[in-house]
Amino acid sequence: MRTNYSGLIDSSYLGQTVTLYGWVHRRRDHGGVIFIDLRDREGLVQVVIDPDTPDTFATADRVRSEFVLKIEGKVRERPAGTTNANLKSGQIEVLAKDIEILNASLTPPFQMDDDNLSETIRLEYRYLDLRRPQMQNNLKLRYRVAMAVRRYLDAQGFIDIETPMLTKSTPEGARDYLVPSRVHHGQFFALPQSPQLFKQLLMMSGFDRYYQITKCFRDEDLRADRQPEFTQIDIETSFLGVAEITALMEEMIRTLFRDVLSVELPDPFPRITFQEAMSKYGSDKPDLRVPLVLTELTDALKDVEFKVFRDVANSAGGRIAALSVPGGGQLSRKEIDEYTQFVAIYGAKGLAYIKVNEKAKGRDGLQSPIVKNLSEDALSTILERTGAADGDLIFFGADKAKIVNDALGALRARIGHDRGLAVKEWKPLWVVDFPMFEYNDDEKRWDALHHPFTSPMDGHEDFLDSDPGQALAKAYDMVLNGWEIGGGSVRIHRQDVQSKVFGALGISAEDAKLKFGFLLDALQFGAPPHGGLAFGLDRIVTMMAGAESIRDVIAFPKTQRAQDLMVQAPGPVDEKQLRELHIKVR
């Protein structure tokens, strides 16, 4: 029987005989003495095999990387000069008395301490990738995060309740994953994009405080912080407003970082409106580690000769904004061109700039192809508003507001990190007062910015009929270092208001009844005021681990093409299964 994990054997075990189980991390033969680094989930311990135990030595001579061993031996101090301060077991070693090979291994496709592996090979051999110390640490961190959340919510009176995985397809923004029903021909379940409707129904059922750490599914284009199946910390509560819900959840995140990372986050978190976030940062999830802000110039450039600026400044929905970069005058033409290509990803047609060489010289102290097309008053206003100094560079965005916000918002974060302007701190904040709706130019209709069950601000119900674009929502997002880690809202608890929201979204009474009839019915039976939010567990753990992708903190993730390379999913099914489901592949 194992006496302890290998990585936990330290000087307190000196002189004791221990029994260890694990994998061969590394085997070294040093002039007749064999060393084995034995690895388990808690770390490594060095095992020494002397030739004066011939049977044990012969066994050790046969082992190779990733063999599974049982080792019995005596703990002793390492010789002077051979200690390893980076290991808990670094002061000691185990002198092996007996070694048993529990299982051999093929030569693995990579070394467990190789940090330069392709993600393809890692995902194909995920069961081996997960043996690597960094992956073991990431998943143990994930466990500690989940447990800290559970402890906090339990102490606050929340109840863990499961909700269905096979449910009804509803329009919630992304495409559903559909599951055909064998019993009900031609009909489909959907995997839940979130437990949104069910957690609202649980409030209507009187449970008052619910939570669930649960899987959600969205069939959408993937990137580093997205997966087709991901994990939410889903929370809902009754009889609390925005201030109370956000205070409760803010304290949960503070407690989480304190318990897991020994980090103290600010108290309280900064709070800005959606409008301020877009105006100053071009993003509703700004990275506050970067001190740069956008400067509004639309009103000041309506009469300039530069047609690109003038046309945008005089167009409905146009925006001109500037981003002043301290010391940016040192940027080369090549670097500016690279940033121009970067903003093109977000729809920007170009990236105008002015280098401020000597501000005191006015126009003559500025370097840019566009300076000749701007008046003295316009240049003076630009320099005054941006606060640019000698040696700085000013980038400009001029287009539809969304394009400018997306492009300059992303550029702000990119330049801030590229040029070492970002502080090395945790920077959380709340973004509040979101619009209820955003206009869909392609389909000429209003879409819910969050989801159609978000409550309007008090007094904004009338806008739902007359001017949906003016309605603000009781919605809130928690942002950390440029990532949205959680978001939610106070929900609609009155059937008449819910019907008005459906009307603003162009959802007819018939469609509403068809898609959400169960919710509309429930609202008529004494639904309490309620609200909540959901945190992205994968994102939180990714940030805490300092990983590059949420795939590094999920045990068995999918690729960016939504494939599992290890089990080869998705894959074909046989004709018999399709016939049972009354499905034909075209």
Side-chain angles (χ1 to χ4, degrees):
M1 183 175 176
R2 170 193 278 147
T3 54
N4 208 329
Y5 287 103
S6 301
L8 299 180
I9 303 297
D10 59 18
S11 299
S12 65
Y13 287 81
L14 283 172
Q16 296 184 32
T17 297
V18 295
T19 302
L20 306 175
Y21 293 85
W23 286 263
V24 176
H25 189 68
R26 192 178 293 105
R27 174 190 171 280
R28 309 182 303 279
D29 190 335
H30 287 184
V33 177
I34 295 175
F35 292 87
I36 291 174
D37 290 336
L38 191 70
R39 185 191 71 245
D40 58 28
R41 76 176 201 184
E42 298 299 333
L44 302 173
V45 68
Q46 179 172 281
V47 179
V48 184
I49 305 94
D50 283 337
D52 57 3
T53 53
D55 291 343
T56 302
F57 191 86
T59 302
D61 195 45
R62 299 196 335 258
V63 306
R64 295 294 181 267
S65 292
E66 300 312 305
F67 276 37
V68 186
L69 304 182
K70 173 187 175 183
I71 295 179
E72 184 179 337
K74 190 172 183 179
V75 181
R76 69 182 188 185
E77 288 185 350
R78 289 197 190 191
T82 66
T83 59
N84 185 345
N86 295 321
L87 295 177
K88 182 178 178 65
S89 63
Q91 303 298 314
I92 59 91
E93 61 189 16
V94 175
L95 179 63
K97 294 181 181 178
D98 184 63
I99 295 179
E100 180 182 350
I101 298 175
L102 300 177
N103 211 341
S105 172
L106 297 174
T107 301
F110 50 80
Q111 294 297 315
M112 298 303 133
D113 53 3
D114 188 347
D115 292 327
N116 298 305
L117 300 174
S118 77
E119 189 172 58
T120 298
I121 198 77
R122 287 178 57 203
L123 293 181
E124 183 178 352
Y125 295 95
R126 188 61 162 186
Y127 47 87
L128 295 179
D129 184 46
L130 288 173
R131 292 183 189 174
R132 299 193 305 136
Q134 56 266 54
M135 292 303 300
Q136 296 257 316
N137 290 337
N138 286 354
L139 291 189
K140 286 191 285 186
L141 173 66
R142 185 185 180 102
Y143 165 75
R144 294 202 306 275
V145 168
M147 288 304 297
V149 167
R150 290 186 184 279
R151 284 193 299 269
Y152 177 86
L153 292 174
D154 183 67
Q156 298 297 326
F158 285 83
I159 302 171
D160 184 354
I161 304 176
E162 294 179 352
T163 54
M165 285 292 147
L166 294 175
T167 184
K168 183 182 179 73
S169 179
T170 57
E172 293 186 50
R175 286 181 294 272
D176 286 324
Y177 278 101
L178 300 178
V179 180
S181 169
R182 179 184 59 81
V183 178
H184 302 282
H185 301 166
Q187 298 190 48
F188 296 81
F189 294 105
L191 300 180
Q193 294 187 31
S194 79
Q196 180 63 48
L197 296 176
F198 288 104
K199 68 181 179 180
Q200 289 189 246
L201 291 170
L202 286 169
M203 294 303 100
M204 298 171 197
S205 302
F207 286 97
D208 196 75
R209 293 192 174 194
Y210 138 96
Y211 86 97
Q212 185 181 189
I213 298 180
T214 185
K215 286 288 187 187
C216 302
F217 305 86
R218 293 179 188 173
D219 186 6
E220 58 187 350
D221 294 334
L222 304 183
R223 58 189 187 212
D225 60 347
R226 284 182 179 170
Q227 278 280 288
E229 52 179 319
F230 57 96
T231 304
Q232 278 187 184
I233 307 166
D234 201 56
I235 301 167
E236 196 79 4
T237 183
S238 297
F239 306 112
L240 297 183
V242 172
E244 294 89 354
I245 294 171
T246 53
L248 198 61
M249 295 300 99
E250 181 178 313
E251 185 57 32
M252 184 183 84
I253 296 300
R254 256 195 304 274
T255 301
L256 174 62
F257 271 75
R258 184 184 304 122
D259 290 355
V260 176
L261 295 186
S262 299
V263 166
E264 290 293 336
L265 295 180
D267 184 6
F269 291 179
R271 187 174 293 235
I272 64 174
T273 66
F274 172 85
Q275 183 176 3
E276 182 184 357
M278 300 308 293
S279 175
K280 292 175 66 174
Y281 307 108
S283 170
D284 60 359
K285 45 182 183 293
D287 187 346
L288 294 190
R289 293 174 299 174
V290 176
L292 308 178
V293 296
L294 307 187
T295 302
E296 184 60 52
L297 293 171
T298 311
D299 60 308
L301 300 176
K302 290 187 173 183
D303 299 319
V304 296
E305 291 183 24
F306 190 37
K307 189 174 185 296
V308 172
F309 284 179
R310 186 180 69 245
D311 289 352
V312 169
N314 288 284
S315 67
R319 184 184 187 194
I320 304 174
L323 176 67
S324 180
V325 181
Q330 300 172 359
L331 290 172
S332 66
R333 181 70 226 188
K334 179 176 180 291
E335 289 172 310
I336 292 173
D337 288 343
E338 288 173 352
Y339 286 132
T340 303
Q341 292 173 9
F342 174 72
V343 297
I345 298 170
Y346 301 90
K349 301 178 185 68
L351 188 61
Y353 69 91
I354 293 176
K355 285 187 176 183
V356 182
N357 296 330
E358 291 186 63
K359 188 175 178 180
K361 289 186 176 180
R363 182 188 300 274
D364 293 338
L366 305 177
Q367 178 185 342
S368 168
I370 68 170
V371 167
K372 62 180 180 294
N373 296 317
L374 299 175
S375 66
E376 295 290 348
D377 285 346
L379 290 172
S380 177
T381 300
I382 290 169
L383 293 173
E384 180 182 347
R385 289 193 186 180
T386 60
D390 290 353
D392 293 352
L393 180 143
I394 306 168
F395 282 121
F396 297 87
D399 211 310
K400 292 179 181 178
K402 183 179 185 335
I403 292 175
V404 171
N405 292 338
D406 289 349
L408 287 192
L411 183 65
R412 169 189 169 274
R414 169 81 179 266
I415 286 179
H417 289 282
D418 283 354
R419 298 191 59 77
L421 301 174
V423 296
K424 296 188 185 325
E425 297 176 22
W426 294 102
K427 289 285 191 177
L429 78 151
W430 286 105
V431 180
V432 298
D433 296 353
F434 283 83
M436 282 281 290
F437 310 102
E438 57 184 349
Y439 194 69
N440 187 325
D441 278 322
D442 295 333
E443 300 186 22
K444 307 301 180 189
R445 61 177 174 82
W446 291 102
D447 290 334
L449 190 66
H450 280 77
H451 56 65
F453 318 109
T454 301
S455 177
M457 288 281 197
D458 295 339
H460 285 220
E461 294 90 348
D462 291 342
F463 289 135
L464 301 177
D465 295 325
S466 61
D467 189 0
Q470 292 297 312
L472 296 182
K474 293 181 180 179
Y476 34 82
D477 282 357
M478 186 185 288
V479 178
L480 182 62
N481 291 7
W483 283 35
E484 177 197 329
I485 61 169
S489 65
V490 169
R491 324 301 186 188
I492 297 167
H493 69 282
R494 286 169 37 201
Q495 198 269 351
D496 60 325
V497 177
Q498 186 65 74
S499 294
K500 279 189 171 187
V501 170
F502 285 154
L505 293 169
I507 299 174
S508 69
E510 293 76 17
D511 280 347
K513 184 69 176 173
L514 181 66
K515 293 180 170 65
F516 307 108
F518 57 95
L519 178 70
L520 297 176
D521 289 345
L523 288 173
Q524 299 179 79
F525 288 92
H530 59 284
L533 75 172
F535 288 98
L537 176 67
D538 309 300
R539 292 185 181 185
I540 291 172
V541 179
T542 300
M543 299 183 76
M544 285 182 156
E548 294 183 1
S549 164
I550 65 172
R551 293 188 292 277
D552 287 334
V553 301
I554 297 172
F556 300 103
K558 308 293 188 291
T559 68
Q560 285 191 294
R561 297 190 65 204
Q563 293 175 297
D564 186 326
L565 300 181
M566 184 181 67
V567 303
Q568 296 295 299
V573 297
D574 62 41
E575 187 63 31
K576 181 175 180 247
Q577 289 175 284
L578 292 176
R579 281 199 306 271
E580 287 178 338
L581 295 169
H582 297 269
I583 287 177
K584 187 173 184 178
V585 177
R586 292 190 298 177

